[in-house]
């Protein structure tokens, strides 16, 4: 899949669309209301392309596959997290998606500690082999 890079003119045009929250050269952030309305229209039988065209998007600018990919991603998010998944940002600094390090369960801490021990043991074995090879080389 080839990535679309938006021109300044395309970005300005997209930002005038009320269904768009933000646009960069590489991405469009759609409004939560549009995502929910699109899912409702899709469940009523409209195709992704129809939904995006009716919402005022130029498929030549955003790409003809974008509607289908967006609806698929939004359906998956809705199925997994419900309506809140589409209205709450789960990426970036203010994300609620990951647990902070301080809130690990005892089992999770133990699992991480075991993984770290395993990694350190593997590093030690590697260093021992490297030292043995260096000693052989000096002889």
């Amino acid at each position: 899949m080839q990535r679309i890079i938006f021109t300044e003119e395309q970005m300005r045009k997209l930002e005038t669309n009320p269904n768009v929250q933000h646009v960069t050269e590489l991405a469009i952030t759609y409004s939560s209301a549009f995502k929910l309305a699109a899912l409702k229209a899709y469940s009523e039988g409209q195709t992704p392309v129809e939904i995006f065209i009716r919402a005022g998007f130029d498929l030549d600018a955003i790409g003809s596959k974008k509607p289908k990919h967006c609806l698929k991603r939004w359906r998956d998010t809705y199925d997994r997290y419900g309506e809140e998944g589409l209205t709450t940002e789960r990426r970036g600094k203010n994300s609620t998606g990951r647990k902070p390090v301080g809130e690990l369960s005892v089992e999770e801490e133990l699992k991480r500690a075991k993984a770290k021990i395993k990694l350190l043991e593997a590093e030690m074995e590697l260093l021992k082999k490297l030292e043995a090879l260096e000693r052989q080389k000096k002889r």
Side-chain angles (χ1 to χ4, degrees):
M1 183 170 87
Q2 193 174 19
R3 187 156 216 174
I4 294 175
I5 299 175
F6 300 114
T7 64
E8 287 291 328
E9 183 181 329
Q10 289 171 325
M11 288 169 51
R12 277 195 299 276
K13 186 176 179 185
L14 284 166
E15 284 182 336
T16 62
N17 188 319
N19 299 309
V20 173
Q21 193 174 340
H22 181 67
V23 180
T24 66
E25 288 181 338
L26 299 175
I28 303 169
T29 303
Y30 301 93
S31 70
S32 301
F34 173 64
K35 292 177 187 179
L36 292 169
L39 286 176
K40 184 174 187 254
Y42 183 79
S43 69
E44 292 171 355
Q46 289 184 32
T47 67
V49 170
E50 289 173 337
I51 294 166
F52 271 67
I53 289 173
R54 286 186 180 153
F57 290 100
D58 178 9
L59 295 186
D60 292 331
I62 67 171
S64 60
K65 294 182 182 179
K66 178 68 89 176
K68 185 177 178 183
H69 290 277
C70 287
L71 263 291
K72 166 100 174 79
R73 192 173 64 247
W74 298 341
R75 281 193 326 262
D76 292 345
T77 300
Y78 187 83
D79 291 345
R80 189 168 182 190
Y81 301 105
E83 190 173 312
E84 188 178 328
L86 296 173
T87 58
T88 306
E89 181 59 59
R90 294 185 333 274
R91 301 173 294 179
K93 222 177 199 180
N94 298 325
S95 167
T96 58
R98 280 191 191 158
K99 289 182 182 178
V101 178
E103 293 183 21
L104 294 178
S105 67
V106 174
E107 293 83 18
E108 188 64 31
E109 283 183 31
L110 181 61
K111 186 177 169 184
R112 284 188 179 192
K114 285 181 178 180
K116 191 170 186 176
I117 290 169
K118 198 172 187 178
L119 175 69
L120 292 171
E121 287 173 343
E123 285 178 353
M124 280 184 54
E125 288 301 314
L126 183 67
L127 289 172
K128 285 179 185 177
K129 288 179 182 178
L130 184 61
E131 285 176 350
L133 286 172
E134 285 177 349
R135 273 187 257 127
Q136 272 183 351
K137 194 175 182 180
K138 285 182 182 178
R139 292 184 190 169

